[in-house]
Amino acid sequence: MTVTTKGSTPGTPDNPWGDTKTKTPSNGVNLGPTQRPRPVFPEPIVPDVHGPARVVAMVNQKGGVGKTTTTINLGAALVEYGLKVLLVDFDPQGALSVGLGINPLQLDLTVYNLLMERGVTAEDVLLETGVDGLDLLPSNIDLSAAEVQLVTEVAREQVLGRVIKPLLPHYDVCLIDCQPSLGLLTINALTCAHGVMVPLECEFFALRGVALLMDTISKVQERLNEDLEIEGLLATMYDARTLHGREVLARVVEAFGDKVFHTVINRTVRFPDATVAGEPITTFDPSSLGANAYRELAREVLSRWPAPATMAR
């Protein structure tokens, strides 16, 4: 039976997930919002040396599901645990760049120039962010032209992997924020990635495109990148107070099982507030439920990766 949690304030050690409802079976096992036993993820060991980076693509063809928010805040949380993180804004809307306080319209060089101009190197485009250890390859609307121009290129699916390769030895993790489509840009990200993470809004329509996305990932594994793994599905914008949200989350867990992260990102106004400020939520509001959720996600992600956690194959 689902009951309201009593005597447990969201965000405190006994309720770090921030959920307001939980299921307490007769055996006393404490279940998380995914209705599975809550694991305890260990504190990551700070690496003595950095690199090579594990490349993870944030992919979902539906927009507004939390890809950019997750890219920024997971990256910032990983930095807090001593890792060096490279973020790649691979969406022509430039939302990742904006979320880190950068105006895409004022950029002279972006990922587009890196992809399409031979004289441009990754170091030319690379920008430092306001978070030490978190760097960015920015994007703007120019990138929308790349999808058309790459069609005539030889090995067009491998262009992104080729241009970011020189940077990977200097970072532990590379997170690619993909556009909300399954076009050539997204295929490029999947081709060069070691893993793919799927942020999924806890809303019915968000479920409809997951089968198509999984089919695309399967085709990339078969034809372009046999080492590509599904890191997991991340439930976002979750509101435990609504029956609909709980039912959608239950259906996702039923369909994908252990591929669903235990960590769930709750809906909160602090995320858009942090975006307006141009900061990750871990620095904008370090003690908030959202910041703690992404720290929990960072620990869970690292616990899933092979040891050493950030080693690319």
Side-chain angles (χ1 to χ4, degrees):
M1 180 177 68
T2 302
V3 296
T4 302
T5 304
K6 295 182 180 179
S8 178
T9 303
T12 57
D14 59 334
N15 187 9
W17 307 74
D19 51 307
T20 57
K21 292 181 181 289
T22 186
K23 183 183 290 185
T24 305
S26 58
N27 61 8
V29 176
N30 190 17
L31 302 184
T34 64
Q35 303 308 318
R36 295 173 292 176
R38 294 178 187 266
V40 177
F41 302 110
E43 290 288 316
I45 299 174
V46 177
D48 295 326
V49 294
H50 298 287
R54 184 177 180 88
V55 181
V56 179
M58 296 284 177
V59 179
N60 193 324
Q61 74 269 32
K62 185 178 186 301
V65 298
K67 291 189 298 295
T68 301
T69 297
T70 296
T71 304
I72 292 173
N73 295 304
L74 175 58
L78 290 169
V79 166
E80 287 189 348
Y81 291 123
L83 279 66
K84 291 193 66 177
V85 179
L86 172 66
L87 304 183
V88 180
D89 190 348
F90 216 45
D91 183 350
Q93 298 178 71
L96 181 64
S97 303
V98 172
L100 289 167
I102 296 167
N103 185 348
L105 300 179
Q106 296 179 351
L107 296 171
D108 294 324
L109 294 174
T110 67
V111 169
Y112 169 79
N113 304 97
L114 183 59
L115 292 175
M116 306 308 304
E117 299 175 15
R118 292 187 179 276
V120 177
T121 67
E123 289 78 7
D124 295 332
V125 180
L126 190 67
L127 297 177
E128 295 182 349
T129 69
V131 179
D132 189 31
L134 186 69
D135 295 335
L136 170 70
L137 291 177
S139 172
N140 60 20
I141 194 63
D142 292 344
L143 185 60
S144 60
E147 191 136 29
V148 177
Q149 294 172 324
L150 284 174
V151 170
T152 59
E153 290 286 324
V154 176
R156 61 192 179 215
E157 300 91 353
Q158 300 170 2
V159 176
L160 176 63
R162 186 182 72 248
V163 298
I164 67 171
K165 185 176 181 179
L167 293 178
L168 300 184
H170 308 292
Y171 295 90
D172 300 304
V173 182
C174 173
L175 301 178
I176 305 174
D177 183 30
C178 297
Q179 64 177 342
S181 80
L182 296 178
L184 186 53
L185 293 180
T186 300
I187 298 301
N188 259 263
L190 292 174
T191 301
C192 72
H194 301 99
V196 53
M197 186 179 296
V198 184
L200 185 69
E201 182 184 6
C202 290
E203 194 267 338
F204 174 74
F205 289 110
L207 292 174
R208 300 183 64 192
V210 175
L212 178 60
L213 173 58
M214 292 301 168
D215 183 58
T216 299
I217 292 172
S218 178
K219 289 179 180 178
V220 171
Q221 290 171 325
E222 293 173 3
R223 305 173 187 178
L224 296 168
N225 183 4
E226 64 180 12
D227 294 328
L228 181 65
E229 300 177 353
I230 298 176
E231 301 280 351
L233 288 83
L234 174 67
T236 63
M237 304 182 190
Y238 179 63
D239 188 344
R241 297 170 298 178
T242 66
L243 176 62
H244 180 70
R246 298 197 301 274
E247 287 179 340
V248 169
L249 181 55
R251 288 187 61 182
V252 172
V253 174
E254 180 182 357
F256 296 99
D258 290 339
K259 285 296 183 183
V260 181
F261 287 107
H262 289 274
T263 306
V264 170
I265 308 301
N266 290 301
R267 188 183 297 275
T268 169
V269 297
R270 302 306 280 165
F271 288 128
D273 289 346
T275 299
V276 172
E279 295 182 51
I281 198 168
T282 52
T283 59
F284 177 75
D285 192 353
S287 61
S288 65
L289 296 180
N292 288 330
Y294 276 108
R295 293 185 186 107
E296 185 80 11
L297 177 63
R299 293 195 297 272
E300 181 172 3
V301 165
L302 290 173
S303 72
R304 291 189 177 206
W305 288 348
T310 57
M311 181 179 293
R313 287 181 301 280

